Amino acid sequence: MEKLNTEITRFLLVGGSAFIVDFLILNFLVYMLGFQTRLFGYILVANVTSAAVAVLYGFILQKKWTFKRVQNNDIRREFIGFASLQVFNIVFYNVLVFNILNETLRVPIPVSKIIVACSQAITSYMIMRHIIFVNKQALTDQT
């Protein structure tokens, strides 16, 4: 149980720090390098750049620190799964769920954001733990 609590704590710390990395890079690009002009030009480039760096940062820390997957024999599969999960989270949670909660059900924005963030954290943890960063050798050894 203690190992699980440590893993969940690490998962949340990495997720929170990935958000900070994303936020800081975005603000650096927008306010320090002048990417704030042309909404669908430079701001979009800045946002995609900061998100891509945060995804790479999150992948490395979740793999090596949270889930203790030091082997690199499945790194391509793991990265594709991790990146796909991030895209799914953006589309499903932020577009569909957030809009449904706020626009259709009239749940206030702060409450909608909390519901979306908690749902996203729970499902992401479960998918990472049981699908993306699963230790196939340990599963083979158990059978």
Side-chain angles (χ1 to χ4, degrees):
M1 187 66 164
E2 184 177 328
K3 182 183 179 215
L4 181 62
N5 288 337
T6 300
E7 190 176 87
I8 292 170
T9 300
R10 287 179 177 190
F11 172 80
L12 294 171
L13 287 171
V14 171
S17 64
F19 168 78
I20 292 169
V21 166
D22 186 354
F23 184 80
L24 291 175
I25 291 173
L26 176 65
N27 281 284
F28 175 76
L29 292 172
V30 169
Y31 297 110
M32 299 299 287
L33 298 183
F35 277 53
Q36 71 265 30
T37 58
R38 293 183 42 217
L39 176 62
F40 292 107
Y42 299 128
I43 289 178
L44 184 60
V45 169
N47 194 42
V48 168
T49 301
S50 67
V53 171
V55 165
L56 185 59
Y57 166 88
F59 171 74
I60 292 168
L61 285 180
Q62 296 291 19
K63 175 180 173 55
K64 305 271 185 194
W65 189 55
T66 303
F67 297 103
K68 303 289 188 192
R69 293 280 291 137
V70 293
Q71 304 89 354
N72 287 324
N73 53 342
D74 280 344
I75 195 164
R76 183 176 181 183
R77 179 193 63 79
E78 291 170 342
F79 184 75
I80 290 170
F82 187 86
S84 298
L85 177 61
Q86 302 313 308
V87 170
F88 172 81
N89 283 341
I90 290 168
V91 173
F92 182 74
Y93 284 108
N94 292 317
V95 174
L96 296 176
V97 175
F98 191 75
N99 283 336
I100 290 169
L101 286 171
N102 184 252
E103 294 295 323
T104 305
L105 300 176
R106 300 287 185 222
V107 176
I109 290 174
V111 176
S112 296
K113 184 66 174 174
I114 291 168
I115 292 169
V116 167
C118 291
S119 301
Q120 185 176 347
I122 292 166
T123 57
S124 292
Y125 175 77
M126 298 305 286
I127 290 169
M128 283 184 211
R129 185 170 201 270
H130 297 290
I131 297 172
I132 296 173
F133 297 118
V134 67
N135 187 343
K136 290 182 180 179
Q137 183 63 38
L139 291 176
T140 306
D141 293 344
Q142 291 176 355
T143 57

